[in-house]
Amino acid sequence: MADKSYIECSSNWKRPNLTQSPELFQQVAKLLQEIETGGDLAIDSLSKRFDGYQPRKIELKPYRDYELAPQLLNSIEQAAQRIEAFCTLQKDTLQPQQIEEKNGVFGFQYSPIEAIGAYIPGGRFPLISTALMTLIPARVAGCERRIACSPSVHPAILAAASLAGATEFWQIGGAQAVAAMAFGYQDMLPVQMVVGPGNQYVNVTKQLLQSRIKIDVAAGPSELLILANAEANQEWLIADMAAQAEHDPQAQSVLVSDDLAFLESVEQQLIANEELYNLLKDEQIVLLQARNVDDMIKFSNRYAPEHLLLADERIQPEQLKHYGSLFIGQNSAVAFGDYCAGPNHTLPTMGSANRSSGLCVQSFMNIQSYQQVTEQGRTQLAEIGRPLAEAEQLVWHERSMQVRS
């Protein structure tokens, strides 16, 4: 039995500070310098040093040619169909627009990024869902080259990458995989964007290469916030919290309620199970008491969680402002979102959901503006622009408008 209460006050609790160390950035920067100087040979050397093998390109087979259990093959296919349907919905909203008036035509359009790279971690288990969630939106967006890199060649990852639309698959992992996609490697041409989760070396590499490539998010440990009242199904919520915690030793699930008796009941169930009790002691599961519903809402909007599960009908979804993805009602398990609901599971963490979004079709598109000025427009726009250029003392700006007026 526990010798203390693990229920804390929501107004006093803060998210752990898990920023990467300067030493890690220096270490990865040194590796990138080696790769930029040494090219393919440096990538080969690092791969052998860290992973014990020579990187290789693998020709993908048609999806159904992979020898997987029929039920798994069908689940991968159905998940892919749902993800693609949601991506198509997103793409259908991206319509070019323009204003036509006497001074000209002014508008914008969407253009897919030409080449992207998707990093698919190896780890203890094949991350099938990562292949689907990173490659399908890129394909739907219209990206021509879709490079998949993974240290794992598990048949399920290869099958998922094939179904999701990878145009190349390379067995290569870690920081050297991200660098290979950014700089190019053997006959792999450089990409303009790299997406996908990974360990701290992968994440730091992506951050350090942002002047060369676009990235999805600077990912931190996975996190879940649950807002619940006494009517919530405790067994379901405990399973949800444990599921989120198993992503990573630093992953965290936070349950907030204004009902102390409810929190105490959840606490006792966690304490009664050794595995769950360890998660509670290690603060991978956190129980917080709020004073009232308003405090629950304020906590959520301040915390800006990656995943937000709303299990309290007193709170309306519209009152929750900042989150990566919202799961409304107890039926909406976060695990559905991880695998097969349709919306993407690559989401902002560490509070960045108050200023950034999860991966989607739009992530793989550039917004390009254009303007075509008429004969009348060049005179009228010059009248507007010339005083501004004069005030900024940009002589040739003023001159380029003056000669057209």
Side-chain angles (χ1 to χ4, degrees), residues 58-322:
I58 295 176
E59 294 299 325
L60 293 174
K61 300 184 293 186
Y63 169 67
R64 284 281 171 179
D65 288 356
Y66 288 95
E67 296 182 1
L68 299 175
Q71 187 175 13
L72 177 58
L73 276 171
N74 289 333
S75 288
I76 294 173
E77 194 163 24
Q78 290 177 55
Q81 289 170 353
R82 295 188 61 82
I83 295 165
E84 181 166 355
F86 193 81
C87 288
T88 301
L89 175 68
Q90 290 178 329
K91 186 176 182 183
D92 288 345
T93 68
L94 305 180
Q95 298 300 320
Q97 301 288 339
Q98 65 180 30
I99 299 171
E100 296 185 34
E101 40 114 331
K102 60 185 179 181
N103 290 326
V105 178
F106 310 90
F108 66 88
Q109 62 189 13
Y110 295 90
S111 177
I113 293 172
E114 181 182 353
I116 68 96
Y119 185 75
I120 306 167
R124 296 171 295 171
F125 310 107
L127 292 184
I128 303 165
S129 57
T130 296
L132 301 179
M133 293 284 186
T134 53
L135 291 165
I136 290 175
R139 173 168 55 79
V140 172
C143 303
E144 293 181 10
R145 290 197 299 118
R146 302 175 295 275
I147 314 300
C149 286
S150 179
S152 173
V153 290
H154 190 286
I157 284 185
L158 297 177
S162 174
L163 181 63
T167 57
E168 296 177 34
F169 190 102
W170 290 79
Q171 185 186 17
I172 180 172
Q176 59 271 22
V178 178
M181 290 186 279
F183 296 120
Y185 173 72
Q186 295 186 12
D187 64 350
M188 181 205 303
L189 297 176
V191 302
Q192 288 85 53
M193 180 179 185
V194 173
V195 300
N199 61 23
Q200 58 182 349
Y201 292 95
V202 169
N203 288 323
V204 168
T205 303
K206 288 166 64 179
Q207 292 177 61
L208 289 175
L209 288 174
Q210 284 189 83
S211 62
R212 179 181 290 266
I213 56 171
K214 179 181 179 180
I215 68 171
D216 43 1
V217 291
S222 194
E223 58 193 19
L224 164 65
L225 172 62
I226 300 176
L227 304 178
N229 63 5
E231 298 176 4
N233 187 311
Q234 296 182 26
E235 181 183 4
W236 291 9
L237 299 189
I238 288 171
D240 292 338
M241 291 190 289
Q244 197 64 28
E246 72 181 344
H247 275 291
D248 181 272
Q250 291 182 317
Q252 193 168 62
S253 299
V254 179
L255 172 61
V256 178
S257 178
D258 61 345
D259 191 304
L260 180 59
F262 169 74
L263 290 170
E264 288 175 339
S265 177
V266 171
E267 180 186 41
Q268 290 307 309
Q269 293 181 67
L270 294 172
I271 291 171
N273 180 293
E274 183 179 359
E275 180 183 3
L276 297 175
Y277 184 34
N278 287 333
L279 294 176
L280 187 63
K281 288 192 298 182
D282 293 341
E283 296 187 349
Q284 283 199 264
I285 291 180
V286 176
L287 305 178
L288 301 179
Q289 182 186 9
R291 288 179 298 179
N292 49 44
V293 173
D294 285 344
D295 274 1
M296 293 169 65
I297 295 169
K298 289 177 182 177
F299 178 90
S300 177
N301 290 335
R302 183 175 69 250
Y303 184 69
E306 178 189 20
H307 306 94
L308 175 54
L309 174 56
L310 177 57
D312 189 334
E313 294 182 354
R314 299 173 299 171
I315 300 173
Q316 299 303 308
E318 295 77 16
Q319 295 176 281
L320 305 172
K321 304 301 182 184
H322 305 304

Side-chain angles (χ1 to χ4, degrees), residues 14-34:
K14 293 182 179 180
R15 175 190 274 110
N17 184 5
L18 297 174
T19 55
Q20 285 115 346
S21 68
E23 292 77 17
L24 178 60
F25 277 88
Q26 293 170 6
Q27 185 180 355
V28 175
K30 184 178 178 181
L31 293 178
L32 290 175
Q33 189 174 26
E34 287 182 37

